[in-house]
Amino acid sequence: MLTTHTLGFPRIGSQRELKFAVEKFWSGNLDQPGLEATGRELRLRHWQWQREAGLRFVAVGDFSYYDQILDATVLLGGIPRRFGFEPTTLSRAQYFELARGNAAQPACEMTKWFDTNYHFLKPEFDAETRFDGGPQWLFDELQEAKLAGFQAKVQLVGPLTLLKLARVQGVDALALLPRLVPAYARLLKQLQVEGCEWVQLDEPILGLDLDAQWLAAFTPVYRELAEAHPRILLATYFTGVADKVALLQALPVAGVHVDAVREPSQLSAFTDWPVDRILSVGIVDGRNIWKTDLDAALDRLTPLYARLGESLWLAPSCSLLHVPTDLEQETKLADGIKDGLSFAKQKLAELATLSRALCLGRSVCFQTLEVNRLGLARFQALPARNNPAVAARLAELPAYGRGLSYAERKLLQHARLNLPLLPTTTIGSFPQTREIRAQRAAFKRGELSQADYTRAMQAEIADAVARQEALGIDVLVHGEAERSDMVDYFAEQLAGVAVCQHGWVQSYGSRCVKPPVIWGDVSRPTAMTVEWTRYAQTLTQKPMKGMLTGPVTLVQWAFVRDDKPRAEVAFQMALALQDEVAELDAAGIAVIQIDEPAFREGLPLKQADWPAYLDWAVKAFKLSAAGARPETQVHTHMCYSEFEDILPAIAAMDADVITIETSRSAMTLLDAFGEFAYPYEIGPGVYDIHSPRVPPVVEMTTLLERALRVIPAERLWVNPDCGLKTRAWAETEAALRNMLTATRQVRARLAEVGSIGVTSVLPTMVAHSACNCSHPAE
Ligand code: GLN
Ligand code: ZN
């Protein structure tokens, strides 16, 4: 049989056992042996599944109590010195302090792992960093696998990827190689002594736009490592490396893994791969949940197998960390939909069938292949997969625009809204209190009737409106009490989209997300937000802002069907939202916000692919916004600040107002907006909602005054950074009260002097950490 293996398996557990154990440990309700018992149980269960599926190796090194990149940093001993921890004796509690911060030190910075929704902890290196080794947890796990009779392949992030992703200060990153590579070599040697036959080193940066210096580093680094361990499998994924075949062939490694799902065409570049080297082909999608078409996969693999024989290995395209664990847990999905899906455990079985069918012939696996064919056929035949009404609407795509130019719209909107200078607003959600969540849970369990639930949520809305009125905010929101989450809320109501029960994927640490499944053509059977918004508007004379999640974000945070272009799915989503926008507009809602917090993260990994993405993403947004009449003001919101490089696209979205996160970057982003001469109105967040801290008035006046240096007062809005759902009411009201005071002070000064010149020194801002509210993390 051919070697099958996985680049990693989800560790969280099909019932999120790890999440709950880790959180109990943090709250002091589980001791360390208890936590470790859960870890061991999960590892053994997952290894067992891998063996049952006939994998040649089980994956060791993919388990982590928080993040595998932090684990690698810790294993090497290169932990941030600012914590003052001794690496070799690092305790679990200290490990979690690195991940989550402590009273004296902020946590390590968290960043998205390539274009996934998984966040890793950024290593922090400087000229003094030593890699003299850390705790032996990896070796304990290897021992554990061996004792249980499993053959292990250990995996680690490769040295160049680790370095490239690290924050390196005071020294050129590559200058750390002379210390880092020997540390890796020592680890590899030790693994060899422990009898670990293969080591997988992940170097996904090979698929990025790498400059010559970094590329040139690969050969010497891997020459040194190959001496320490002759069997290195160098893993690439998420992009194609067809342009690097010569480099890969020249590397002294025993094998290379390539992603044939993300970049199907790249297999043709490997037809001359030397037979004495392993070529591991990622043929099962590690990033998505669709069932593999086994016949098609076999057709692709057959010529490679004919040439490479046993040097061909089969694997998922990347680690299965990015898909949920076990489809069998889903009892409520319609059968037809389930027929098209495959989660991590099912993907292992697909690999096994592929291997058998290649080696022994398809007839040997006739039955399994037939089940695969029938399942896919049933799924593909679901009528809602291809909805003629949606297709017809897409075929005659209307103009993307708003009818009138921004300059003309602005006059109409200002006349209609009649807002003061520096209008104040919030981003949408207000605290999701325990009571709100309890009521929703009761409703879902059937203990609260629809009418009672509606009444309860209306009471929450009325409360939020009253508080905003009392504060004196200009453009109100209803507070999003009825939404468990900004994506799920829409996913549950749209046709063509399913929500799983246990489809959890780790996002960071103990946080998991449950991406909706866009399996069919998307349409909107009924209005989704209109009744709540209309009700909220009846409670106030002030404009009530309608609140929608945008098409790009709804697609970005879902598992998206792969039989149609992503752009087409986004347009379908956009049309559904366009109808919602039009209905809100018709109901008299004068301001509508279409949130696009995931707009930037959809950017492809290779810069060459950016224009195509930005083109459809902008069009999708405009298509949604086109539902609004010119006199209705369209806002968008994005909660990150790194978009200097995509400002032209942001402007092309043609949103009348954008609210953005800037408080943590002390508004430096605004300089970019100023330089680019962004013509629309902007609400740069004046305070960070990610912490309960109540910023004093002066901090916000300082930020506003700084903003006024690049944005004319007529185009400046005042608002927090992001939604307030993760906050409590006490700090929310206190912070907003200060925000209103700051606004009044700045307005008064503007009235006095007409303009403002400022020299005040801004407080140091906290390092960026993952946003609790920007994605559905629970
Ligand atoms: N309207 C959403 C909220 O306030 C926006 C959240 C976000 O952009 N992350 O919660
Ligand atoms: Zn936000």
Side-chain angles (χ1 to χ4, degrees), residues 30 41 97 107 148 203 259 362 376 396 456 487 584 627 681 684 732:
L30 184 69
E41 201 180 296
E97 283 174 41
E203 294 283 16
D259 184 335
R362 294 188 202 200
L376 280 176
E396 44 178 274
V487 171
L584 283 169
E681 295 177 33
T732 297

Side-chain angles (χ1 to χ4, degrees), residues 427 597 637-639 721-723 771 773:
I427 305 305
H637 165 71
M638 300 184 181
C639 35
D721 236 28
C722 192
C771 175
C773 46

Side-chain angles (χ1 to χ4, degrees), residues 1 34 80 83 86 224 339 460 523:
M1 226 58 82
F83 283 88
E86 166 55 36
E224 197 172 333
D339 275 327
E460 296 293 341
S523 61

Side-chain angles (χ1 to χ4, degrees), residues 58-61 138 142 152-156 191 196 198-201:
V58 298
V60 171
L138 175 69
L142 179 60
K153 176 193 62 176
V154 165
Q155 59 201 100
L156 276 173
L191 286 171
C196 167
W198 278 89
V199 181
Q200 169 194 321
L201 293 180

Side-chain angles (χ1 to χ4, degrees), residues 576-598:
L577 289 165
Q578 184 184 79
D579 295 347
E580 187 74 11
V581 168
E583 221 170 306
L584 283 169
D585 190 341
I589 301 303
V591 183
I592 299 171
Q593 178 172 312
I594 306 173
D595 288 325
E596 285 292 17

